[in-house]
Structures are given as C-alpha cells and as structure tokens.
C-alpha cells in the first residue's frame, strides 16, 4: 500500500468529535408530546430513535359540496339567472388551510334524490361533510328536504337537525350525522359570505378538533374601531362584519350584505358586535376574530 507522512500542527483535545450517548435524547426522555404535528424534523426524530411506526391522528378528509341549480362552474358560460359557484372553491381551500385533506364536489342541482345519492356516494371518502345552500325556508331548500331522510334513520341518533341561530350572517344552519358510520355533516347557508363566516365559526374548529389540536379556534383580539360613522347591528343577533386589522385598529370593509365577496377578499378579520348591541361608535373597543 501507499506510505507517507502526516504532520499534525495542533494536539487533539480529549473527546473531540465524539458524540456522547444521550447528548441528543436520553433514554427515558419524552421525545415528542401527544398532539405534536408531525413535520419533517419530527419524522426525522422518530426515525433516529428507531421508531418505525407511531400512533397518529390522520388529517381528516372533508368533502365540500355546493347546491343550487343556478350555479355554474367558473370558465363556463353564464345564462340568465345563473351565478358562478364560489362556495365550493372557497370552503375547499378553507378546509385545506385548516389542515384537512379536502375534496370538492361541483354544484349539485336542486333535486333531493340527486343530492341524497351524491351524499351517499361521497361518504366512502369523508370523515366530515360540508354542504352549502338549500337550508333556509324557501321553496327550493333541497338540502333540508334531502337530509331529513338520508342514510341512517335506522340507526339510533342519526339524522340532521336544522336551526336558526342568533347571528348575522349565517342564521340558517344544519348539523347531524349521515350514513351507517354516522359521518358528521354541517349544512351551511348558501350566500358566499354567510358560508365562509359559518365555516370559520363552526367547521374549522371541528377539523382542528378531529386533528387532535388544542387551539381549535382562530385567535381573537381587542381593537379600536376606525370607521366613518356608527356601525348598526340587528338587535338579538350577533353580527360578524368584515374588517382589516392593523396595530390594534380595525377598519370595516364593505357592507353587511351576505353576497359581498369583494369586501371579504379584502378582509383579514371579523368584527364581532354582540347580540344586545345595536350600534357601535367610532373609537369604541370591539372584539375581532383574526383570520390571517
């Protein structure tokens, strides 16, 4: 073999470049706590300590379905009396943002049998179902009609219940379970802002709870209202107005209308006006739900 000489210019310190047993994690130490989200570093740690498998809560699978014969998919041609379906896209994105695996079902026509069949077909890939539209008191409230008889009347405790909540937007809501496995279903109103606000208040916490997280709700803050005039609110209903929050101040954007998507797209907070408050003056302190 080859021969040669090595000249060493400084002494090697004792134990230099030696990794001591237990310098990273000692036997008996808690490596990861229950509820930890497993990202790349956490998976590396599990592998490094020799754990090939670990018990986890999987990300919930959420099926999002919009209803309404008036709904048309984006890029298609609108006819008179039709609108583009924005809810299914918004809520699928919101479910992913909350941490779920989300499946979007395009708009289902206002036919109870079709809707019932579609829901039953989707149950195989759902840990949670979310519908929008068809839950108020009109002639075409097909979700209410379809879900009154879907799937699991034979099973004790099944079915979906519809209520009017003391809030604006988002008064009509439905909740229950469907199918033989009692998959939870939340039936949200169809107006775009109503459906999104309802998702933030009701669906997102469910998704986060299914993931085993402690912080299931959006953070809230107190903020000074920066508005041109007083904000009115219907008596007996908790109102959620859209706003922009910055440095302890919140500025309303758009009006209270449940169709104002452009204003919603500019908002990063919800301004909460309590049930017993009918007017809030500029400069008053209000509660805000931070969406960002």
């Amino acid at each position: 073999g080859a021969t040669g000489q090595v000249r060493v210019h400084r002494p090697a310190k004792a134990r230099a470049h030696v990794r001591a047993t237990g310098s990273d994690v000692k036997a008996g130490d808690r490596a990861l706590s229950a509820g930890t989200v497993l990202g790349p570093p956490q998976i590396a740690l599990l592998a490094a300590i020799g754990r090939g498998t670990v018990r986890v809560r999987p990300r919930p699978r959420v099926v999002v379905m919009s209803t309404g014969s008036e709904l048309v998919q984006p890029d298609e041609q609108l006819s008179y009396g039709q609108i583009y379906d924005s809810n299914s896209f918004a809520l699928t994105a919101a479910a992913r943002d909350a941490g779920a695996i989300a499946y979007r079902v395009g708009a289902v026509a206002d036919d109870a049998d079709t809707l019932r069949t579609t829901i039953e077909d989707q149950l195989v890939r759902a840990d949670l179902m979310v519908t929008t539209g068809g839950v108020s008191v009109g002639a075409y409230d097909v979700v209410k009609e379809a879900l009154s008889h879907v799937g699991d009347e034979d099973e004790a405790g099944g079915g979906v219940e519809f209520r009017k909540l003391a809030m604006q937007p988002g008064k009509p809501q439905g909740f229950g379970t469907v199918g033989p496995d009692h998959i939870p279903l939340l039936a949200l109103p169809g107006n775009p802002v109503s459906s999104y606000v309802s998702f933030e208040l009701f669906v997102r916490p469910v998704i986060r709870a299914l993931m085993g997280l402690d912080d299931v709700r959006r953070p809230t803050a107190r903020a000074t209202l920066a508005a041109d005039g007083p904000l009115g609110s219907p008596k007996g209903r908790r109102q959620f107005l859209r706003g922009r929050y910055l440095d302890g101040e919140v500025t309303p954007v758009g009006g209270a209308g449940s169709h104002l998507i452009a204003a919603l797209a500019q908002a990063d907070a919800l301004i909460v006006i309590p049930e017993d408050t009918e007017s809030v003056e500029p400069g008053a302190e209000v509660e805000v739900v931070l969406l960002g």
Side-chain angles (χ1 to χ4, degrees):
T3 59
Q5 289 184 323
V6 175
R7 182 173 292 172
V8 178
H9 293 282
R10 61 186 180 196
K13 292 180 180 176
R15 303 193 61 77
H17 313 299
V18 174
R19 303 279 193 249
T21 302
S23 61
D24 186 13
V25 183
K26 290 186 176 67
D29 281 355
R30 178 174 296 169
L32 293 172
S33 297
T36 302
V37 177
L38 296 186
Q42 291 77 24
I43 289 171
L45 172 57
L46 289 169
I49 63 175
R51 285 297 293 263
T53 58
V54 66
R55 187 186 294 273
V56 298
R57 290 176 188 256
R59 292 197 294 155
R61 300 164 302 159
V62 178
V63 172
V64 177
M65 187 183 309
S66 54
T67 66
S69 299
E70 78 282 6
L71 298 176
V72 174
Q73 297 306 292
D75 291 333
E76 293 179 11
Q77 193 64 40
L78 279 183
S79 300
Y80 184 76
Q82 294 181 320
I83 59 171
Y84 288 120
D85 167 24
S86 63
N87 287 356
S88 67
F89 291 96
L91 300 192
T92 302
R96 287 197 186 112
D97 178 68
I101 297 166
Y103 302 108
R104 189 187 73 85
V105 178
V108 182
D110 285 317
D111 175 76
D113 289 334
T114 304
L115 179 60
R116 195 177 299 130
T117 302
T118 306
I119 288 173
E120 287 170 352
D121 287 347
Q122 292 294 327
L123 287 174
V124 69
R125 62 173 181 174
D127 298 309
L128 174 67
M129 295 200 72
V130 179
T131 66
T132 73
V135 295
S136 55
V137 290
Y140 297 105
D141 293 323
V142 67
V143 173
K144 192 180 282 190
E145 182 187 345
L147 293 182
S148 301
H149 311 289
V150 78
D152 63 358
E153 307 100 323
D154 305 333
E155 308 266 347
V160 178
E161 188 178 336
F162 293 88
R163 299 215 177 159
K164 293 176 184 172
L165 303 190
M167 60 185 282
Q168 183 184 31
K171 181 168 74 169
Q173 302 282 342
F175 172 70
T177 60
V178 289
D181 294 326
H182 295 293
I183 302 301
L185 182 144
L186 287 132
L188 311 183
N191 274 319
V193 177
S194 303
S195 71
Y196 179 71
V197 170
S198 300
F199 184 97
E200 284 291 339
L201 296 177
F202 304 128
V203 185
R204 193 175 196 276
V206 172
I207 292 172
R208 309 282 287 175
L210 286 171
M211 292 170 67
L213 298 172
D214 291 328
D215 57 334
V216 298
R217 299 195 177 279
R218 293 281 198 187
T220 59
R222 303 294 295 179
T224 303
L225 180 64
D228 296 331
L231 296 183
S233 182
K235 185 173 176 58
R237 292 169 73 182
R238 185 178 307 180
Q239 190 172 41
F240 297 89
L241 294 168
R242 277 67 72 200
R244 288 192 64 78
Y245 174 81
L246 182 66
D247 296 334
E249 277 196 345
V250 66
T251 307
V253 292
S258 297
H259 63 294
L260 301 174
I261 306 176
L264 181 63
Q266 301 296 320
D268 59 11
L270 297 175
I271 304 168
V272 184
I273 303 181
E275 294 89 326
D276 52 2
T277 302
E278 293 183 65
S279 181
V280 180
E281 296 294 327
E285 190 179 63
V286 291
E287 183 187 7
V288 293
V289 178
L290 304 176
L291 302 176

